Amino acid sequence: MAASRVFCLLAFTLSLLSVVFTVSGHNITQILSQSPEYSSFNNYLSQTKLDDEINSRTTITILVLNNDAMSSLAGKHPLSVIKNALSLLVLLDYYDSLKLHKISQGTTLTTTLYQTTGRAVGNVGFINITDLKGGKVGFGSAAPGSKLDANYTKSVKQIPYNISVLEINAPINAPGILTAPAPSNNMTELLEKAGCKTFASMLVSSGVLKTYESTVEKGGLTVFAPSDEAFKGEGAPNLTKLTQAEVVSLLEYHALSEYKPKGSLKINKDVISTLATNGAAGKYDLTTSTSGDEVVLHTGVGPSRVADTVVDETPVVIFKVDKVLLPIELFGKSPAPAPEPVVSTPTPTPTPSVKSLSPTPAKSPSPRKAPSSVAASPPAPPVDESSEGAPSDSPTSSENSHAKNAAFYVNTPAYFTALVTLAATSLLL
């Protein structure tokens, strides 16, 4: 009987583990690699780093194109334009075949990843999904006057309420997506407009701007540009003490020799080498941490928050950060906080009463205990260590759904522990 209970408990535990690992994450590259007909779509997700953005999110739907449908985009547009077009096929809500055919009132608008880029004008970042009845569902831009360009063809893969992959038969053509003007390649102009004039001036005067430009030609560039306020505010470094060579290293420390957009930073778990590393492993590197949609860079001296995206046009991304990145090699490690002094409360001297002053018969002296010199310090007030979460990227109900799902995702281990404990108790009683 005992063996039977143990077996039941083991089976129950394994089933819960399968649920936990199912909801804990997904990898769009691996999902699509199982279907060769989506190899072109999968390849462009990797080139544009959209795969990292997809993998960093939950409650998401990918409208995938087979190789024939992708031929209308592949090789005919710059990579930055293709990225915009594919961003329009990433829905920030969960749709499977059943939900598509049960749309309230037959039509709905949903937010796409393109809406979160800040480049979407009006409703261009939203998709219209319409149940055409007879088993057909149409997709098109939510911009006024747009047609339903694509139709749902089949379901590819679902991890319920986490990720859904659906095939459509054609790209969605939103106004301006495929005809967007070429992005400016004048880096100093972009930096100055973004409020990073000091940083831009230092790049030009030091010659590091040429290093940045040559890095782009080799494959990709990521720049962390401090705002003008970062050079003036509290904790700003005194750059007058640096040699010219050290200034060059400092500026190279603010860039990576690869295209690493925000989605890639959000899922990063590794130490990141910078241009200043220059082959010296463990030198001039960075780490990252993430809270919601917020990314913080850590240098070993102090943190710096990624405040905004100046430009994200494959293969170049420029971020605005709120602090100058201070490498350990130039500024040393951040000092450990000094311990707080222990303040002891003096013990008051007792005041003799009138009765104690009256004469008493003499007794043999007995040793007295000295009062304790250590008094308890008053308890410290509670410290609120909570921090506010980053604001949502999108103002629609899709993001609300995302937030709810994220909460479930974070608390899954707690649910798992509680359920196992409850099962074990009921089975062993």
Side-chain angles (χ1 to χ4, degrees), residues 97-363:
S97 178
L98 183 63
K99 185 175 178 180
L100 286 179
H101 292 94
K102 289 187 176 181
I103 294 174
S104 177
Q105 298 180 353
T107 186
T108 188
L109 300 183
T110 191
T111 316
T112 71
L113 191 59
Y114 184 65
Q115 181 67 25
T116 70
T117 64
R119 294 189 293 273
V121 179
N123 288 340
V124 171
F126 294 85
I127 289 297
N128 174 10
I129 306 175
T130 299
D131 186 359
L132 301 175
K133 307 302 179 183
K136 293 184 178 180
V137 178
F139 295 84
S141 171
S146 298
K147 299 178 180 179
L148 297 176
D149 302 305
N151 290 323
Y152 165 72
T153 52
K154 67 177 181 179
S155 174
V156 179
K157 174 76 174 180
Q158 279 80 42
I159 300 176
Y161 310 110
N162 186 358
I163 184 172
S164 175
V165 182
L166 307 174
E167 183 188 280
I168 57 176
N169 64 349
I172 296 174
N173 187 14
I177 286 284
L178 300 181
T179 58
S184 170
N185 57 3
N186 189 324
M187 195 175 302
T188 54
E189 180 182 334
L190 290 170
L191 290 170
E192 289 173 355
K193 287 183 178 179
C196 304
K197 293 182 179 179
T198 303
F199 184 70
S201 175
M202 291 176 66
L203 289 178
V204 174
S205 62
S206 65
V208 175
L209 180 62
K210 293 182 179 179
T211 303
Y212 281 17
E213 292 171 343
S214 65
T215 303
V216 176
E217 296 172 0
K218 294 176 183 177
L221 176 72
T222 301
V223 178
F224 303 111
S227 64
D228 290 334
E229 291 76 15
F231 288 95
K232 305 173 185 176
E234 183 179 352
N238 184 358
L239 302 182
T240 60
K241 295 183 178 180
L242 299 181
T243 65
Q244 182 62 26
E246 288 173 336
V247 170
V248 168
S249 295
L250 177 65
L251 295 175
E252 291 180 343
Y253 187 64
H254 284 73
L256 317 179
S257 60
E258 60 177 322
Y259 172 64
K260 209 171 185 71
K262 195 171 184 180
S264 301
L265 292 176
K266 286 196 293 185
I267 66 170
N268 176 69
K269 303 297 181 185
D270 302 320
V271 173
I272 302 175
S273 296
T274 66
L275 289 183
T277 302
N278 196 23
K283 297 288 187 180
Y284 290 99
D285 51 27
L286 293 167
T287 59
T288 60
S289 64
T290 305
S291 176
D293 198 51
E294 183 174 274
V295 176
V296 178
L297 308 173
H298 302 274
T299 68
V301 177
S304 181
R305 182 177 62 89
V306 175
D308 195 12
T309 302
V310 176
V311 64
D312 182 357
E313 299 288 351
T314 312
V316 177
V317 58
I318 300 176
F319 297 108
K320 184 177 181 179
V321 295
D322 65 353
K323 300 286 184 184
V324 178
L325 303 182
L326 306 178
I328 291 176
E329 290 76 7
L330 297 180
F331 297 93
K333 292 185 178 181
S334 56
E340 295 184 3
V342 178
V343 180
S344 59
T345 306
T347 305
T349 304
T351 304
S353 63
V354 175
K355 184 177 179 181
S356 67
L357 295 176
S358 61
T360 56
K363 291 186 179 180

Side-chain angles (χ1 to χ4, degrees), residues 61-82:
T61 301
I62 317 302
L63 304 178
V64 67
L65 302 170
N66 63 29
N67 293 339
D68 288 339
M70 270 298 296
S71 63
S72 62
L73 292 175
K76 297 182 179 180
H77 301 279
L79 199 57
S80 58
V81 171
I82 294 177

